[in-house]
mmCIF file of all heavy atoms in Angstrom:
data_model
loop_
_atom_site.group_PDB
_atom_site.id
_atom_site.type_symbol
_atom_site.label_atom_id
_atom_site.label_comp_id
_atom_site.label_asym_id
_atom_site.label_seq_id
_atom_site.Cartn_x
_atom_site.Cartn_y
_atom_site.Cartn_z
ATOM 1 N N ASP A 121 96.242 95.986 91.238
ATOM 2 C CA ASP A 121 95.071 95.218 90.800
ATOM 3 C C ASP A 121 95.187 94.714 89.370
ATOM 4 O O ASP A 121 94.304 94.010 88.878
ATOM 5 C CB ASP A 121 93.792 96.027 90.984
ATOM 6 C CG ASP A 121 93.753 97.300 90.141
ATOM 7 O OD1 ASP A 121 94.658 97.504 89.306
ATOM 8 O OD2 ASP A 121 92.813 98.096 90.324
ATOM 9 N N GLY A 122 96.261 95.087 88.665
ATOM 10 C CA GLY A 122 96.467 94.619 87.298
ATOM 11 C C GLY A 122 95.692 95.377 86.251
ATOM 12 O O GLY A 122 95.812 95.084 85.061
ATOM 13 N N THR A 123 94.891 96.355 86.667
ATOM 14 C CA THR A 123 94.093 97.126 85.708
ATOM 15 C C THR A 123 94.479 98.603 85.707
ATOM 16 O O THR A 123 93.704 99.453 85.276
ATOM 17 C CB THR A 123 92.594 96.987 86.005
ATOM 18 O OG1 THR A 123 92.307 97.505 87.315
ATOM 19 C CG2 THR A 123 92.152 95.541 85.929
ATOM 20 N N GLY A 124 95.674 98.907 86.216
ATOM 21 C CA GLY A 124 96.177 100.272 86.148
ATOM 22 C C GLY A 124 96.283 101.007 87.466
ATOM 23 O O GLY A 124 96.631 102.193 87.481
ATOM 24 N N HIS A 125 95.998 100.339 88.587
ATOM 25 C CA HIS A 125 95.986 101.035 89.871
ATOM 26 C C HIS A 125 96.940 100.381 90.870
ATOM 27 O O HIS A 125 97.044 99.160 90.958
ATOM 28 C CB HIS A 125 94.579 101.033 90.467
ATOM 29 C CG HIS A 125 93.527 101.517 89.532
ATOM 30 N ND1 HIS A 125 93.412 102.837 89.156
ATOM 31 C CD2 HIS A 125 92.544 100.857 88.870
ATOM 32 C CE1 HIS A 125 92.403 102.977 88.324
ATOM 33 N NE2 HIS A 125 91.869 101.780 88.124
ATOM 34 N N PHE A 126 97.603 101.243 91.658
ATOM 35 C CA PHE A 126 98.349 100.834 92.837
ATOM 36 C C PHE A 126 97.602 101.362 94.060
ATOM 37 O O PHE A 126 96.930 102.395 93.994
ATOM 38 C CB PHE A 126 99.768 101.413 92.844
ATOM 39 C CG PHE A 126 100.670 100.870 91.768
ATOM 40 C CD1 PHE A 126 101.284 101.731 90.861
ATOM 41 C CD2 PHE A 126 100.928 99.522 91.673
ATOM 42 C CE1 PHE A 126 102.128 101.241 89.880
ATOM 43 C CE2 PHE A 126 101.768 99.017 90.706
ATOM 44 C CZ PHE A 126 102.364 99.879 89.803
ATOM 45 N N TYR A 127 97.762 100.657 95.159
ATOM 46 C CA TYR A 127 97.137 101.090 96.407
ATOM 47 C C TYR A 127 98.159 101.003 97.535
ATOM 48 O O TYR A 127 98.725 99.936 97.776
ATOM 49 C CB TYR A 127 95.929 100.210 96.754
ATOM 50 C CG TYR A 127 94.876 100.167 95.670
ATOM 51 C CD1 TYR A 127 94.924 99.183 94.684
ATOM 52 C CD2 TYR A 127 93.851 101.108 95.624
ATOM 53 C CE1 TYR A 127 93.969 99.137 93.683
ATOM 54 C CE2 TYR A 127 92.886 101.074 94.623
ATOM 55 C CZ TYR A 127 92.950 100.087 93.656
ATOM 56 O OH TYR A 127 92.010 100.043 92.657
ATOM 57 N N ARG A 128 98.376 102.132 98.192
ATOM 58 C CA ARG A 128 99.197 102.106 99.404
ATOM 59 C C ARG A 128 98.283 101.691 100.545
ATOM 60 O O ARG A 128 97.225 102.295 100.760
ATOM 61 C CB ARG A 128 99.817 103.477 99.667
ATOM 62 C CG ARG A 128 100.802 103.496 100.832
ATOM 63 C CD ARG A 128 101.561 104.819 100.883
ATOM 64 N NE ARG A 128 100.692 105.937 101.169
ATOM 65 C CZ ARG A 128 100.356 106.358 102.400
ATOM 66 N NH1 ARG A 128 100.841 105.711 103.473
ATOM 67 N NH2 ARG A 128 99.555 107.386 102.571
ATOM 68 N N ALA A 129 98.664 100.640 101.241
ATOM 69 C CA ALA A 129 97.783 100.071 102.255
ATOM 70 C C ALA A 129 98.542 99.755 103.532
ATOM 71 O O ALA A 129 99.780 99.738 103.552
ATOM 72 C CB ALA A 129 97.105 98.811 101.717
ATOM 73 N N GLU A 130 97.781 99.503 104.571
ATOM 74 C CA GLU A 130 98.352 99.146 105.874
ATOM 75 C C GLU A 130 97.691 97.870 106.371
ATOM 76 O O GLU A 130 96.468 97.706 106.238
ATOM 77 C CB GLU A 130 98.111 100.270 106.874
ATOM 78 C CG GLU A 130 98.673 100.010 108.261
ATOM 79 C CD GLU A 130 98.384 101.157 109.213
ATOM 80 O OE1 GLU A 130 97.288 101.181 109.801
ATOM 81 O OE2 GLU A 130 99.265 102.034 109.331
ATOM 82 N N ILE A 131 98.492 96.981 106.901
ATOM 83 C CA ILE A 131 97.945 95.743 107.463
ATOM 84 C C ILE A 131 97.210 96.073 108.765
ATOM 85 O O ILE A 131 97.761 96.731 109.652
ATOM 86 C CB ILE A 131 99.059 94.717 107.723
ATOM 87 C CG1 ILE A 131 99.713 94.307 106.389
ATOM 88 C CG2 ILE A 131 98.504 93.483 108.436
ATOM 89 C CD1 ILE A 131 100.875 93.356 106.546
ATOM 90 N N THR A 132 95.972 95.619 108.853
ATOM 91 C CA THR A 132 95.154 95.917 110.037
ATOM 92 C C THR A 132 95.025 94.744 110.994
ATOM 93 O O THR A 132 94.814 94.938 112.191
ATOM 94 C CB THR A 132 93.750 96.367 109.606
ATOM 95 O OG1 THR A 132 93.151 95.345 108.789
ATOM 96 C CG2 THR A 132 93.823 97.669 108.807
ATOM 97 N N ALA A 133 95.145 93.518 110.470
ATOM 98 C CA ALA A 133 95.029 92.331 111.338
ATOM 99 C C ALA A 133 95.606 91.132 110.607
ATOM 100 O O ALA A 133 95.564 91.056 109.375
ATOM 101 C CB ALA A 133 93.568 92.070 111.721
ATOM 102 N N THR A 134 96.136 90.194 111.364
ATOM 103 C CA THR A 134 96.696 88.978 110.779
ATOM 104 C C THR A 134 96.328 87.778 111.631
ATOM 105 O O THR A 134 96.045 87.890 112.821
ATOM 106 C CB THR A 134 98.235 89.053 110.687
ATOM 107 O OG1 THR A 134 98.782 89.120 112.007
ATOM 108 C CG2 THR A 134 98.688 90.246 109.867
ATOM 109 N N SER A 135 96.338 86.617 110.970
ATOM 110 C CA SER A 135 96.219 85.332 111.665
ATOM 111 C C SER A 135 97.138 84.370 110.942
ATOM 112 O O SER A 135 97.933 84.792 110.098
ATOM 113 C CB SER A 135 94.765 84.840 111.658
ATOM 114 O OG SER A 135 94.352 84.520 110.344
ATOM 115 N N SER A 136 97.041 83.101 111.212
ATOM 116 C CA SER A 136 97.960 82.148 110.593
ATOM 117 C C SER A 136 97.829 82.107 109.081
ATOM 118 O O SER A 136 98.798 81.855 108.359
ATOM 119 C CB SER A 136 97.738 80.750 111.165
ATOM 120 O OG SER A 136 96.397 80.329 110.921
ATOM 121 N N LYS A 137 96.629 82.365 108.556
ATOM 122 C CA LYS A 137 96.403 82.253 107.114
ATOM 123 C C LYS A 137 95.744 83.485 106.500
ATOM 124 O O LYS A 137 95.461 83.495 105.305
ATOM 125 C CB LYS A 137 95.535 81.030 106.815
ATOM 126 C CG LYS A 137 96.169 79.696 107.180
ATOM 127 C CD LYS A 137 95.256 78.546 106.804
ATOM 128 C CE LYS A 137 95.893 77.199 107.164
ATOM 129 N NZ LYS A 137 94.986 76.058 106.810
ATOM 130 N N HIS A 138 95.494 84.503 107.291
ATOM 131 C CA HIS A 138 94.759 85.668 106.792
ATOM 132 C C HIS A 138 95.531 86.949 107.063
ATOM 133 O O HIS A 138 96.203 87.095 108.086
ATOM 134 C CB HIS A 138 93.375 85.750 107.450
ATOM 135 C CG HIS A 138 92.517 84.550 107.195
ATOM 136 N ND1 HIS A 138 91.771 84.392 106.047
ATOM 137 C CD2 HIS A 138 92.299 83.431 107.941
ATOM 138 C CE1 HIS A 138 91.117 83.241 106.090
ATOM 139 N NE2 HIS A 138 91.431 82.633 107.235
ATOM 140 N N CYS A 139 95.402 87.872 106.112
ATOM 141 C CA CYS A 139 96.072 89.162 106.235
ATOM 142 C C CYS A 139 95.094 90.243 105.761
ATOM 143 O O CYS A 139 94.805 90.349 104.571
ATOM 144 C CB CYS A 139 97.349 89.189 105.396
ATOM 145 S SG CYS A 139 98.301 90.713 105.548
ATOM 146 N N LEU A 140 94.576 91.024 106.696
ATOM 147 C CA LEU A 140 93.614 92.076 106.390
ATOM 148 C C LEU A 140 94.347 93.397 106.188
ATOM 149 O O LEU A 140 95.388 93.643 106.804
ATOM 150 C CB LEU A 140 92.590 92.204 107.511
ATOM 151 C CG LEU A 140 91.816 90.936 107.882
ATOM 152 C CD1 LEU A 140 90.799 91.238 108.970
ATOM 153 C CD2 LEU A 140 91.134 90.337 106.661
ATOM 154 N N TYR A 141 93.776 94.252 105.344
ATOM 155 C CA TYR A 141 94.420 95.531 105.065
ATOM 156 C C TYR A 141 93.380 96.637 104.943
ATOM 157 O O TYR A 141 92.179 96.395 104.745
ATOM 158 C CB TYR A 141 95.241 95.457 103.769
ATOM 159 C CG TYR A 141 94.434 95.187 102.515
ATOM 160 C CD1 TYR A 141 93.764 96.226 101.855
ATOM 161 C CD2 TYR A 141 94.346 93.908 101.974
ATOM 162 C CE1 TYR A 141 93.035 95.983 100.696
ATOM 163 C CE2 TYR A 141 93.617 93.660 100.827
ATOM 164 C CZ TYR A 141 92.960 94.700 100.189
ATOM 165 O OH TYR A 141 92.233 94.463 99.054
ATOM 166 N N SER A 142 93.887 97.850 105.033
ATOM 167 C CA SER A 142 93.081 99.044 104.826
ATOM 168 C C SER A 142 93.818 99.939 103.836
ATOM 169 O O SER A 142 95.026 100.172 103.978
ATOM 170 C CB SER A 142 92.879 99.789 106.152
ATOM 171 O OG SER A 142 92.200 101.013 105.940
ATOM 172 N N ILE A 143 93.109 100.422 102.830
ATOM 173 C CA ILE A 143 93.734 101.249 101.787
ATOM 174 C C ILE A 143 93.908 102.677 102.295
ATOM 175 O O ILE A 143 92.967 103.297 102.801
ATOM 176 C CB ILE A 143 92.900 101.227 100.499
ATOM 177 C CG1 ILE A 143 92.956 99.825 99.868
ATOM 178 C CG2 ILE A 143 93.405 102.280 99.506
ATOM 179 C CD1 ILE A 143 92.104 99.665 98.633
ATOM 180 N N LEU A 144 95.109 103.195 102.149
ATOM 181 C CA LEU A 144 95.436 104.553 102.577
ATOM 182 C C LEU A 144 95.445 105.541 101.420
ATOM 183 O O LEU A 144 95.130 106.719 101.592
ATOM 184 C CB LEU A 144 96.810 104.583 103.264
ATOM 185 C CG LEU A 144 97.007 103.633 104.442
ATOM 186 C CD1 LEU A 144 98.457 103.694 104.917
ATOM 187 C CD2 LEU A 144 96.043 103.967 105.572
ATOM 188 N N GLU A 145 95.823 105.047 100.231
ATOM 189 C CA GLU A 145 95.965 105.942 99.086
ATOM 190 C C GLU A 145 95.838 105.135 97.797
ATOM 191 O O GLU A 145 96.329 104.013 97.701
ATOM 192 C CB GLU A 145 97.336 106.633 99.127
ATOM 193 C CG GLU A 145 97.607 107.583 97.983
ATOM 194 C CD GLU A 145 99.020 108.146 98.012
ATOM 195 O OE1 GLU A 145 99.836 107.675 98.846
ATOM 196 O OE2 GLU A 145 99.308 109.042 97.207
#
C-alpha cells in the first residue's frame, strides 16, 4: 500500500478487466 504494509492475498474472481482479491495475511 506504500505506507508500510504488505498483504498476502489470493485472487477470488477475474474478468476481462477486473481482478478481485481476498487478504490472507
Side-chain angles (χ1 to χ4, degrees):
D121 63 7
T123 62
H125 309 289
F126 293 123
Y127 303 91
R128 186 170 65 87
E130 180 181 85
I131 296 177
T132 57
T134 64
S135 67
S136 60
K137 296 182 180 179
H138 300 277
C139 183
L140 304 182
Y141 63 82
S142 175
I143 292 177
L144 305 175
E145 180 185 8

